[in-house]
Amino acid sequence: MNINNKHMKTLDYYVVDVFTDSRYKGNQLSVVYTDEELDINQYYDISREFGYSETSFVNYSTSEKVFKVRSFTQAKHEVIGAGHNLLGAVCLALLKKWDIFKDHGAQPQVMIKDDRILLDITERQGLPYVGMKQNPAEIVKTVPAEVIARAIGLSVTDLDLNGWDINIVKTEVAHLMVPVKNKLLLQKAISHKSLLKEAAEKFGFEGCYLFTTNHPEADHLAEARFFNPSIGIDEDPATGTAAGPLAGYLEKLGYIKKDIDFKILQGEYINQPSVIHVKVADDGIWVSGSSVIVMEGKLYL
């Protein structure tokens, strides 16, 4: 059967792997270039069709003179903050040599929904290396260990790492920081979706960021896993909006110092290893990394 697509509206799309310099690693992100805002249901339908944790929709606003990004999950949730959804979109624009910073002077920036994010752009190993500035970390509240232990299939003693509390920490997005005693227990953890959703709603956090600083890879600050069933993400391979709060939390604990670049490993147990660079500054937290293009094509509306 022949289908005539001649009169259908088409949009260019790309798939990039984010927080990595190698294809088929990192966090997969679909990016769709739009000339104008779409109907909200079109955002939902396209995001569901791609099937990745998030899909970003981008365009350059001539009126606002800024590169604009909107991102959605498969579960009809719009994502904000400086995470892989933003990093991948910016790296794509740089790789495709789109002129998105022509009106910015010395300080490049982009807009995610309604928020402007400052950027620092360099190059590493022939790829764009992009830093995104998040707000300073704010510790919101502590969550009881027994609540979270049940939700991730571990015991309370499994969550005893240096005596650190399980705290909700926010830069742009409030995520739960969950210390885990060691790497073996981190690997053992599972997401009990209903219990995690219940805890997130009760205590007011979005995702659950499990991490351990007790592991053999000396060049990484921490290894992490991220569960966020409330917005349709079973496990995310790289989560910039959680890595920033983790760096801020560890700095407040006195575990790391400001103005030093650290690496967080994530996605190892779902075969999508990702490396997220973090650096705490006096006026915010820089979350940085690279991306590579895996595929591109056209979709029909």
Side-chain angles (χ1 to χ4, degrees):
M1 180 174 65
N2 293 323
I3 299 177
N4 187 353
N5 293 323
K6 184 169 63 174
H7 301 297
M8 291 185 182
K9 181 176 176 60
T10 62
L11 299 174
D12 293 330
Y13 77 84
Y14 309 84
V15 173
V16 292
D17 288 338
V18 187
F19 286 117
T20 182
D21 57 9
S22 303
R23 291 181 179 85
Y24 311 112
K25 307 292 184 184
N27 199 351
Q28 302 147 313
L29 176 74
S30 42
V31 183
V32 179
Y33 196 97
T34 64
D35 294 326
E36 57 189 13
E37 290 283 332
L38 302 181
D39 176 81
I40 191 66
N41 288 311
Q42 290 177 312
Y43 289 127
Y44 296 157
D45 290 343
I46 293 169
S47 300
R48 187 180 67 251
E49 188 74 15
F50 276 112
Y52 299 125
S53 60
E54 294 163 26
T55 294
S56 290
F57 298 83
V58 303
N59 66 79
Y60 185 84
S61 171
T62 54
S63 60
E64 297 175 83
K65 297 182 178 180
V66 69
F67 188 60
K68 301 185 73 172
V69 182
R70 294 187 70 181
S71 301
F72 297 85
T73 72
Q74 298 180 60
K76 300 182 179 181
H77 179 86
E78 184 161 9
V79 178
I80 61 171
H84 94 282
N85 55 309
L86 187 65
L87 179 68
V90 174
C91 286
L92 170 67
L94 295 169
L95 288 165
K96 302 300 288 186
K97 301 188 184 306
W98 297 341
D99 190 8
I100 64 171
F101 303 123
K102 54 189 174 184
D103 301 306
H104 293 182
Q107 181 59 73
Q109 55 189 271
V110 293
M111 182 173 285
I112 177 77
K113 197 177 180 184
D114 301 319
D115 298 327
R116 287 183 182 261
I117 304 293
L118 301 182
L119 304 174
D120 180 65
I121 297 171
T122 54
E123 184 177 300
R124 293 189 182 184
Q125 300 178 326
L127 290 173
Y129 181 79
V130 176
M132 308 175 294
K133 191 177 185 181
Q134 298 182 359
N135 297 324
E138 171 194 357
I139 296 178
V140 179
K141 67 173 71 170
T142 300
V143 174
E146 56 270 19
V147 172
I148 298 305
R150 287 194 301 270
I152 59 175
L154 297 178
S155 70
V156 170
T157 56
D158 293 340
L159 307 185
D160 182 10
L161 177 65
N162 300 328
W164 294 338
D165 288 330
I166 299 172
N167 277 350
I168 301 171
V169 185
K170 179 181 180 181
T171 53
E172 282 89 13
V173 183
H175 292 306
L176 186 66
M177 303 293 111
V178 183
V180 178
K181 184 176 289 185
N182 58 47
K183 185 172 180 175
L184 290 176
L185 292 168
L186 183 70
Q187 182 176 5
K188 180 183 174 183
I190 58 175
S191 171
H192 293 295
K193 297 180 186 180
S194 61
L195 293 177
L196 276 178
K197 288 180 180 179
E198 182 180 318
E201 184 175 349
K202 179 178 179 179
F203 292 98
F205 64 87
E206 188 177 286
C208 186
Y209 205 46
L210 284 63
F211 73 93
T212 187
T213 55
N214 184 10
H215 57 89
E217 289 84 0
D219 59 339
H220 292 106
L221 168 66
E223 185 167 344
R225 298 178 68 185
F226 183 76
F227 304 143
N228 196 350
S230 296
I231 66 170
I233 297 175
D234 291 339
E235 181 165 359
D236 204 26
T239 316
T241 60
L246 175 58
Y249 184 39
L250 293 177
E251 191 275 330
K252 287 179 181 295
L253 289 167
Y255 187 75
I256 63 173
K257 296 185 181 299
K258 291 181 179 178
D259 300 318
I260 298 176
D261 184 80
F262 294 98
K263 294 187 290 186
I264 295 172
L265 177 64
Q266 189 180 334
E268 187 78 2
Y269 305 118
I270 50 175
N271 297 316
Q272 291 173 247
S274 309
V275 177
I276 307 169
H277 289 253
V278 291
K279 182 172 67 175
V280 180
D282 286 333
D283 59 348
I285 299 171
W286 289 93
V287 176
S288 309
S290 296
S291 306
V292 293
I293 301 173
V294 176
M295 67 180 85
E296 56 186 88
K298 292 188 179 294
L299 62 85
Y300 300 96
L301 290 182

